[in-house]
Amino acid sequence: PPPRGPPPLSERGVTLAQHVAATHFADMGITKIVSSPFLRCLQTASIVRETLDLQDVHFVLDNGLCEVFNASKCYVNKEPMLLSAAEVESTIPGAVDWSVTRWGHREKMPRWGEREAEAHKRYKSSIRRLASMRDGKADQVILLCTHGEALATWYESLEPGTCVYEANFCSYVQATHHGDHMYKVERTYGVNFIAN
C-alpha cells in the first residue's frame, strides 16, 4: 500500500498548537478555516477550533495548501496516500464542511515529484485565491492551516527583499487585505528571515 506521509502531531506539537491558538489567535475573530489535507494541518486546524471554541466555524480542505509534493518534503519515497473523508471524520469528527466546493479543491493534488519552484507558484496562487474569497463579508478573518514552505513563500511575496530561512511549527503571518490583491503584514510569529 502507499505510504502515509508525515506522522501525526506529537504531544508537544498539540500543546504548542493550543498555546499559539490561545495566546495569538484569540483576538483575531476567525470566521473561516481552510486547511491543507495533510494530517498535521488538519489536527492543528481542529486544535485551533477547539481551543477558541469555534464550533460554528467548520473548516474546508484545499489541496493548493498541501506540502511540497515530493519525497524530501513528504518524508516518503513514493506518493503518499492522504486520509479519506471517512478517516478524516473518525480523526476529527464534524470539523470539516464537506459540502463546500467553492472554497475547497479536494480533487486535485499536485503531481508527485513537484519541484519547489512549482510549489512556490502554487502557494502564491492558492493563498491569493483563498484570501480573496470573502463570501461578500469585508470583515472576514480566514485562517489558512498550511506548511512552512507555503508560509515562507507567502511572507516573501508580501515583503519583497526578504528571505525566510525558517518557519517554525505553528508559525504564522497575519496579513490584512487592502484592496485589489494588496496585503499588509500585521504581525508574525516563528518566522525567521533576513532582509536584503
Side-chain angles (χ1 to χ4, degrees):
R4 279 295 188 174
L9 293 178
S10 65
E11 282 186 39
R12 183 175 171 269
V14 169
T15 301
L16 180 57
Q18 291 167 334
H19 169 76
V20 170
T23 58
H24 294 269
F25 296 167
D27 66 340
M28 287 186 187
I30 295 167
T31 58
K32 187 171 291 293
I33 301 173
V34 184
S35 177
S36 158
F38 278 63
L39 176 59
R40 294 164 71 94
C41 290
L42 293 171
Q43 290 177 305
T44 302
S46 182
I47 290 166
V48 169
R49 183 174 174 256
E50 290 171 15
T51 301
L52 300 181
D53 195 25
L54 301 174
Q55 299 312 308
D56 292 338
V57 179
H58 294 83
F59 54 90
V60 295
L61 308 183
D62 194 287
N63 291 337
L65 298 179
C66 81
E67 181 63 273
V68 179
F69 209 47
N70 64 34
S72 68
K73 293 292 184 175
C74 292
Y75 305 105
V76 293
N77 292 326
K78 58 183 181 177
E79 184 174 350
M81 182 173 70
L82 299 180
L83 296 176
S84 67
E87 290 170 316
V88 170
E89 280 300 313
S90 70
T91 304
I92 45 173
V96 176
D97 183 351
W98 297 102
S99 69
V100 177
T101 56
R102 188 169 93 82
W103 283 81
H105 293 272
R106 295 186 300 275
E107 64 279 2
K108 292 184 181 178
M109 284 295 288
R111 129 192 110 67
W112 178 245
E114 179 182 41
R115 295 187 316 250
E116 287 191 28
E118 295 171 314
H120 293 182
K121 184 176 179 182
R122 169 173 57 84
Y123 289 141
K124 287 178 190 176
S125 171
S126 295
I127 292 172
R128 286 196 183 278
R129 171 180 51 81
L130 292 165
S132 69
M133 297 179 83
R134 309 186 68 73
D135 287 341
K137 300 174 187 171
D139 60 347
Q140 195 164 41
V141 178
I142 306 163
L143 175 68
L144 305 179
C145 288
T146 186
H147 305 269
E149 194 77 26
L151 188 125
T153 300
W154 179 238
Y155 185 82
E156 289 171 357
S157 74
L158 295 175
E159 296 287 336
T162 60
C163 177
V164 174
Y165 61 87
E166 183 180 42
N168 297 321
F169 175 69
C170 278
S171 56
Y172 72 87
V173 173
Q174 180 183 359
T176 53
H177 188 247
H178 292 276
D180 191 33
H181 298 293
M182 298 295 294
Y183 300 88
K184 179 183 174 192
V185 174
E186 299 293 337
R187 61 184 174 177
T188 65
Y189 171 79
V191 180
N192 301 300
F193 64 91
I194 54 175
N196 296 332

